[in-house]
Amino acid sequence: MSTHLVSMTVNGIERHARVEPRKTLADFLRDDCRLTGTHLGCEHGVCGACTVMIDGRATRSCLVFAVQTEGGRVTTVEGLAPDGELNPVQAAFEAEHGLQCGFCTPGFVVSATALLERNPSPTDDEIREGLSGNLCRCTGYQGILRAVHRAAQSMGARQS
Amino acid sequence: MSAITTRKAGRFIGQSVARKEDRRLLTGHGLYVDDVSLPGMLHAAFLRSDVARGTITRLDVDAARALDGVVAVYTWSDLHGTFGEAWHTMLGEELQVPPPLAIGDVRHVGEPIALVVAESRYLAEDAIELIEVDIDAGRAVVDFNTAAADTTNIVHQAWGLTSNAMVEVPFTPLSPDLDEVFANAAHVVECTVEQNRYLCVPMEARGILASWTPGRDEMDIVASCQGVHETRIFFSRYLQIPESSIRVSARDVGGGFGQKMFVFREECAVVLASRMLGRPVKWVEDRRENLLAASHSRNETGRVRLAIDADLTISAITVDHVADVGAYPPCPAIIDPMLLPGPYKIPRLGFSMAMVWTNTMGKGAYRGPWMFETTAREMAIDHAARTLGIDAVELRRRNLLAASDLPFTSPGGNLFKEITPLETLEHALTMLDYDAFRREQVQARAEGRLLGLGVCAYVEPTSMGVQSLASEGATVRVETSGKVMAFLGTTSHGQSIETTMAQVVADTLGVEYDDVTVVQAETQSTPYGPGTGGSRTAVIAGGAAREATLAVRDKVLAVAAHAMEAAVDDLDIDGGSVFVRGTPVKSMTMAEVAKAAYRNAHLLPPEVGSGLEATVRFRPNTFPTWSNATHLCVVEIDRASCIARVVRYIVSEDCGPMINPTVVDGQISGGVVQGIGGVLLEDFVYDGDGNPLTTTFVDYLLPTTTEIPVVEIGHVVTESSTNPGGFKGMGEGGAIGAHAAVANAVGDALAHLGINVLKTPLGPNDIHRLLVEAGAD
């Protein structure tokens, strides 16, 4: 199968690779960039484990081909804590037991980070709606919802 | 919430310390099987049957083999004769894992027929498309309630069988006067409870990376599994090589819930392929495969009879229990009628049971595999209350065991000593404000709203001590640096074992939690363990960790006593220092003790042994360790959409002293939401020909943040005498109790319309049908 040169910025680093047009962004990130924090839980756009940000928007990387992201700016879960310090969402997930097995966690952390960038002080309903595209099978979502409330509060406190 | 406890919390045991697992998992640095890549690694994909029952008349893989990038295509004839026995230590020799690929015929949709190994998963899937297979379809056996009586269509006809019953136990009264009691009872209530088919659905599907090294003749396996040691001994038999030649690890596992407790036939095929090719082969299934072919659960029916006296004492209970085990059940033996009376003072029991083969995916373990006994009993009790026109809570109050009734031996032979069924019921009712709820319900009904309360009380047999499950091992070592490592036979897949077991070790030794590292899920460095499941880590692995730590503590004290010229009895350890009690200035750090024990070992007198390490196997003094809980669920059904929404969910439970309360609550909530999903959203459906209709997340609906309530959790704490920590297991309880609690809540919301809910699922279509049938639409 023919390949195409694709270039994009991933977590601030320029990446160039030759990929088949059918290669998903998720597989590009995992295989070509060796960023395995982006997980594949369903590969049909429901579970949200593969959520990354493309140009600041939370996107399911299993439903996007790498070639469609040409010239884009991608942030994966690895890019949220580049200096090793957890971002407010990650820190809140730790504080509120928002994860157990951790497989869905990167998708939730990216989705919640994008949600709070868009809406810094969401209501409980807005948080629930905002995360309804991510599936978790371990936590029953209790710690996740508490974590996003906590992150919103800590980010609000930091800004004020 | 309120707690009744006599045990003092430790510095770490009883505290909700931060999890050791979290930092790597939050930053995308977990290591799940698909995150591991090896040089020369190949990728596998399976051709699966899309026919439920039939004979393979043609299988042509030539075009697939010819595709660029395809390294091998295997069918049964290629694998035949390349492997040995295929059984698990826990299940015994009788239950062989089915052959890795179909032999001549297929018995369920999703059965693997051929294996492609290629340079990428993309290419492997391309090759699957090129395989030509013809199957002469036969009539599939799908309805398990009639399958046992079907003598024409036999699932395992090719084995020469003439019946679809895998196991049939005729009705067995466990009390000699059972018939008489039913004949003389003031009330006999009978109903049939039907539980739908739903699944574990771990977010990480199954996967394995097998890497055979020719010359060394060693097999290195990374698996998404619940037990690395069971996986190793399984493949030792299967490959007919010594255990020592196989290493199995599972650094991070994305959930299991029972599904990953045993080795699957697909994994067998991948391991064989790696050995034949002498290269690493990875198989990570997609979600369709996981829903279709990983294992199914919960599909069970029970006809329940209750004998009830005039004073509302339940004097006998019986069940005729039928379970669908599918065609090739990964773990079928999970019916326990002895659990039917549960936490009640019911003195008489009788049962029959049947496990029935069908042309569907086989039954596997799922969080509380024997939970149907709870579903059947609790839904039957609500049915009885409706039939007799009494309050279902009152009926439970009259019959539940209270602490003052203990010890109590159930008619099934279960001895309860330290459980609190009535206490958790009252606790949960207080949390709800029961009387206020009933007033609200009257008001709601007057307004035409459908509001209902469901109750479920249960006992959970944790830390079952059957055969290989009876014990766990632990090696604890103070390293030369003074830091502590604990090596356990567990395989965590979300249970926070690296955290909770470090809490146990740190408290028992007297060191800081941050100074303890737990190593597990790796066969070559850890003691044998049968796998993480059955709510057994706190009790059994926790017992092993504690006992091994105590043995190390003795060694630390002996070395320190010599170095400090003090008597062992005068020493204590806290905060990572050994000190003379009452003279805290005279102390040694753990690093100094380690230096004395290792670097200056030549200075130790002979009576002080070298090293600061101990290995202990621990077995609880009795089995099982019982925990218990009461769940309350409030639902409101929207009349327009027929969607039942869970408004409140309350759990009062007694798992004894908690190692980490936040982890306990997380386990409860996760299980509860799986139960809510199983009743209101999830349902794996086959059509009459055995075609699966729900093989994506668009059809098989999991609960999301928009469907779940806040789970309110309270604890009643009584210690168990089975283990030194007083702990009780609790990992499965949420999922055991939630099914009946949610179904009973829907039943209560509809009861005044003359609707009798005895069957799940209860999605909007089901509720709409009930309303239409009752003329209440």
Side-chain angles (χ1 to χ4, degrees):
Chain A
M1 192 172 281
S2 66
T3 57
H4 294 259
L5 183 66
V6 61
S7 304
M8 67 185 84
T9 307
V10 181
N11 300 334
I13 298 169
E14 283 211 22
R15 299 276 188 171
H16 310 276
R18 292 206 75 86
V19 299
E20 289 185 2
R22 65 175 174 173
K23 187 163 214 169
T24 64
L25 176 62
D27 285 341
F28 172 79
L29 293 169
R30 293 180 53 82
D31 299 344
D32 297 78
C33 303
R34 295 303 302 150
L35 292 168
T36 56
T38 298
H39 293 158
L40 289 163
C42 74
E43 296 174 271
H44 54 266
V46 179
C47 83
C50 67
T51 304
V52 300
M53 281 191 258
I54 303 177
D55 299 327
R57 287 174 61 93
T59 307
R60 291 158 206 277
S61 61
C62 77
L63 293 185
V64 178
F65 294 114
V67 292
Q68 290 176 284
T69 321
E70 171 65 34
R73 186 170 50 84
V74 177
T75 305
T76 71
V77 67
E78 291 95 337
L80 298 181
D83 305 323
E85 190 186 344
L86 300 181
N87 85 359
V89 171
Q90 291 167 314
F93 269 66
E94 182 183 39
E96 295 290 353
H97 195 32
L99 66 158
Q100 291 181 22
C101 83
F103 193 81
C104 71
T105 305
F108 269 101
V109 167
V110 173
S111 291
T113 300
L115 169 69
L116 294 179
E117 282 177 11
R118 198 169 66 241
N119 179 0
S121 47
T123 63
D124 187 61
D125 280 348
E126 286 169 343
I127 292 173
R128 286 171 180 267
E129 192 60 40
L131 296 181
S132 64
N134 290 73
L135 298 176
C136 169
R137 197 57 168 164
C138 292
T139 65
Y141 302 105
Q142 307 292 307
I144 292 172
L145 293 170
R146 287 197 306 268
V148 179
H149 280 290
R150 184 191 188 103
Q153 280 166 11
S154 74
M155 291 163 80
R158 185 176 297 187
Q159 278 159 11
S160 60
Chain B
M1 290 297 164
S2 68
I4 310 159
T5 184
T6 53
R7 185 177 293 266
K8 194 166 119 278
R11 280 192 64 206
F12 302 112
I13 293 176
Q15 310 297 328
S16 294
V17 300
R19 292 206 321 162
K20 288 180 181 286
E21 296 87 344
D22 284 352
R23 186 159 282 261
R24 69 173 186 266
L25 300 177
L26 280 163
T27 56
H29 296 99
L31 199 65
Y32 302 87
V33 58
D34 201 20
D35 302 336
V36 182
S37 287
L38 296 173
M41 185 174 77
L42 300 169
H43 299 263
F46 288 93
L47 171 73
R48 296 179 180 278
S49 176
D50 50 17
V51 173
R53 180 169 175 233
T55 306
I56 301 170
T57 55
R58 180 167 156 268
L59 181 56
D60 184 346
V61 300
D62 289 350
R65 280 192 176 128
L67 186 71
D68 269 355
V70 170
V71 177
V73 180
Y74 299 108
T75 64
W76 167 247
S77 60
D78 306 300
L79 302 184
H80 180 56
T82 64
F83 57 89
E85 295 185 355
W87 53 274
H88 294 92
T89 317
M90 184 179 147
L91 300 175
E93 293 89 328
E94 297 297 307
L95 272 174
Q96 297 276 332
V97 171
L101 298 170
I103 311 173
D105 72 315
V106 291
R107 301 179 199 182
H108 67 94
V109 172
E111 182 166 1
I113 295 173
L115 170 65
V116 173
V117 182
E119 297 290 345
S120 76
R121 171 84 185 194
Y122 286 80
L123 289 169
E125 290 184 23
D126 288 346
I128 292 290
E129 298 289 316
L130 298 175
I131 297 174
E132 292 182 31
V133 59
D134 292 337
I135 298 174
D136 184 12
R139 191 175 177 79
V141 178
V142 182
D143 179 359
F144 73 103
N145 285 305
T146 57
D150 190 340
T151 53
T152 312
N153 304 295
I154 304 298
V155 174
H156 292 300
Q157 198 165 20
W159 293 349
L161 300 183
T162 54
S163 163
N164 288 319
M166 180 181 181
V167 172
E168 254 182 320
V169 177
F171 189 81
T172 307
L174 292 180
S175 316
D177 58 347
L178 195 66
D179 286 346
E180 200 183 318
V181 165
F182 272 99
N184 296 326
H187 312 283
V188 174
V189 179
E190 183 180 323
C191 61
T192 297
V193 176
E194 295 178 66
Q195 184 173 270
N196 53 306
R197 180 187 293 247
Y198 59 101
L199 329 175
C200 298
V201 201
M203 290 316 301
E204 181 201 27
R206 295 176 298 168
I208 190 167
L209 167 57
S211 181
W212 177 257
T213 308
R216 288 210 327 253
D217 289 354
E218 288 175 358
M219 181 62 82
D220 201 315
I221 292 171
V222 181
S224 183
C225 70
Q226 293 180 220
V228 291
H229 292 279
E230 181 75 274
T231 305
R232 179 171 72 156
I233 185 62
F234 178 93
F235 280 114
S236 170
R237 298 178 193 117
Y238 198 71
L239 298 173
Q240 298 165 301
I241 59 174
E243 279 163 291
S244 54
S245 299
I246 305 177
R247 172 177 184 262
V248 182
S249 63
R251 187 72 175 94
D252 289 304
V253 175
F257 313 112
Q259 184 166 85
K260 298 173 181 170
M261 198 71 181
F262 305 107
V263 173
F264 288 92
R265 60 194 304 191
E266 291 95 335
E267 295 170 319
C268 294
V270 172
V271 166
L272 291 175
S274 174
R275 182 160 73 169
M276 285 190 277
L277 295 168
R279 290 178 65 176
V281 180
K282 182 196 277 183
W283 170 63
V284 173
E285 70 178 348
D286 62 28
R287 183 54 62 184
R288 177 176 178 273
E289 292 180 280
N290 181 260
L291 292 171
L292 184 64
S295 65
H296 289 177
S297 303
R298 304 293 199 236
N299 203 20
E300 295 170 59
T301 296
R303 188 177 71 103
V304 184
R305 282 189 310 154
L306 294 168
I308 303 176
D309 297 341
D311 66 354
L312 301 182
T313 301
I314 303 174
S315 52
I317 185 168
T318 70
V319 67
D320 300 296
H321 185 162
V322 185
D324 183 352
V325 298
Y328 296 109
C331 181
I334 38 187
I335 287 182
D336 186 355
M338 305 311 165
L339 288 172
L340 185 69
Y344 293 84
K345 291 179 278 192
I346 304 174
R348 294 173 194 83
L349 167 65
F351 71 94
S352 72
M353 66 183 208
M355 301 188 331
V356 183
W357 282 305
T358 58
N359 290 111
T360 64
M361 180 57 214
K363 184 185 180 87
Y366 180 17
R367 203 171 200 171
W370 39 76
M371 54 74 82
F372 182 70
E373 282 76 9
T374 288
T375 298
R377 176 192 65 248
E378 293 299 309
M379 291 184 72
I381 286 176
D382 266 37
H383 172 72
R386 285 193 293 266
T387 308
L388 302 179
I390 56 170
D391 182 350
V393 166
E394 196 50 38
L395 185 54
R396 287 185 173 84
R397 274 184 170 140
R398 299 223 184 167
N399 289 282
L400 276 172
L401 286 160
S404 56
D405 297 315
L406 307 177
F408 178 85
T409 302
S410 79
N414 292 318
L415 171 62
F416 302 125
K417 290 194 295 186
E418 295 126 357
I419 57 171
T420 49
L422 187 62
E423 290 79 1
T424 56
L425 173 71
E426 297 297 350
H427 187 203
L429 291 170
T430 302
M431 289 166 70
L432 172 69
D433 193 344
Y434 180 61
D435 294 336
F437 170 79
R438 287 297 183 205
R439 288 194 296 271
E440 185 190 348
Q441 187 182 36
V442 168
Q443 177 69 30
R445 282 180 178 170
E447 295 164 8
R449 289 160 54 206
L450 303 174
L451 188 68
L453 169 68
V455 183
C456 176
Y458 63 87
V459 281
E460 180 181 355
T462 80
S463 315
M464 297 284 271
V466 188
Q467 297 160 344
S468 67
L469 293 176
S471 72
E472 285 281 354
T475 296
V476 174
R477 183 162 74 223
V478 177
E479 300 289 350
T480 51
S481 63
K483 306 288 188 194
V484 181
M485 293 188 79
F487 300 83
L488 303 177
T490 52
T491 302
S492 184
H493 42 289
Q495 291 84 352
S496 318
I497 291 175
E498 292 171 48
T499 297
T500 55
M501 293 298 106
Q503 292 178 258
V504 170
V505 170
D507 250 13
T508 308
L509 188 53
V511 299
E512 297 298 330
Y513 167 71
D514 289 344
D515 288 340
V516 180
T517 300
V518 171
V519 175
Q520 46 115 48
E522 197 286 317
T523 50
Q524 310 311 71
S525 60
T526 63
Y528 170 76
T532 293
S535 303
R536 54 196 299 289
T537 302
V539 171
I540 311 185
R546 180 193 175 99
E547 298 293 310
T549 306
L550 285 173
V552 170
R553 190 176 186 277
D554 286 346
K555 296 187 180 203
V556 168
L557 290 175
V559 171
H562 171 74
M564 295 164 77
E565 298 180 338
V568 165
D569 289 346
D570 293 337
L571 298 182
D572 205 349
I573 311 176
D574 195 20
S577 289
V578 189
F579 56 91
V580 177
R581 216 175 281 116
T583 317
V585 286
K586 198 171 176 188
S587 70
M588 286 176 85
T589 65
M590 206 55 77
E592 289 166 340
V593 175
K595 184 178 175 184
Y598 296 112
R599 191 166 154 196
N600 294 330
H602 61 291
L603 301 176
L604 293 174
E607 66 271 19
V608 177
S610 290
L612 302 172
E613 176 172 339
T615 298
V616 170
R617 283 204 82 76
F618 177 79
R619 199 157 41 95
N621 57 39
T622 46
F623 298 110
T625 299
W626 295 99
S627 61
N628 68 279
T630 300
H631 290 206
L632 301 182
C633 175
V634 177
V635 302
E636 177 152 11
I637 298 169
D638 176 58
R639 284 198 98 123
S641 67
C642 295
I643 291 173
R645 188 170 61 87
V646 179
V647 181
R648 286 188 75 182
Y649 202 100
I650 293 165
V651 177
S652 173
E653 68 82 50
D654 183 352
C655 71
M658 292 173 279
I659 298 172
N660 185 320
T662 299
V663 166
V664 166
D665 287 357
Q667 289 289 315
I668 293 168
S669 300
V672 163
V673 169
Q674 286 179 317
I676 292 173
V679 175
L680 300 180
L681 295 159
E682 301 173 45
D683 187 27
F684 195 95
V685 181
Y686 286 96
D687 72 10
D689 295 322
N691 297 306
L693 306 180
T694 49
T695 60
T696 72
F697 281 158
V698 181
D699 315 293
Y700 187 89
L701 301 177
L702 295 183
T704 74
T705 46
T706 53
E707 285 112 8
I708 53 104
V710 170
V711 180
E712 304 163 59
I713 300 170
H715 302 284
V716 174
V717 181
T718 53
E719 292 185 25
S720 170
S721 57
T722 68
N723 67 100
F727 307 139
K728 304 171 182 177
M730 48 68 56
E732 296 157 286
I736 293 169
H739 191 101
V742 176
N744 281 343
V746 173
D748 188 48
L750 298 173
H752 64 293
L753 303 174
I755 294 170
N756 198 10
V757 171
L758 289 167
K759 183 178 179 178
T760 59
L762 292 163
N765 288 340
D766 308 292
I767 290 175
H768 181 246
R769 188 164 52 245
L770 290 169
L771 287 168
V772 169
E773 284 167 5
D777 179 35

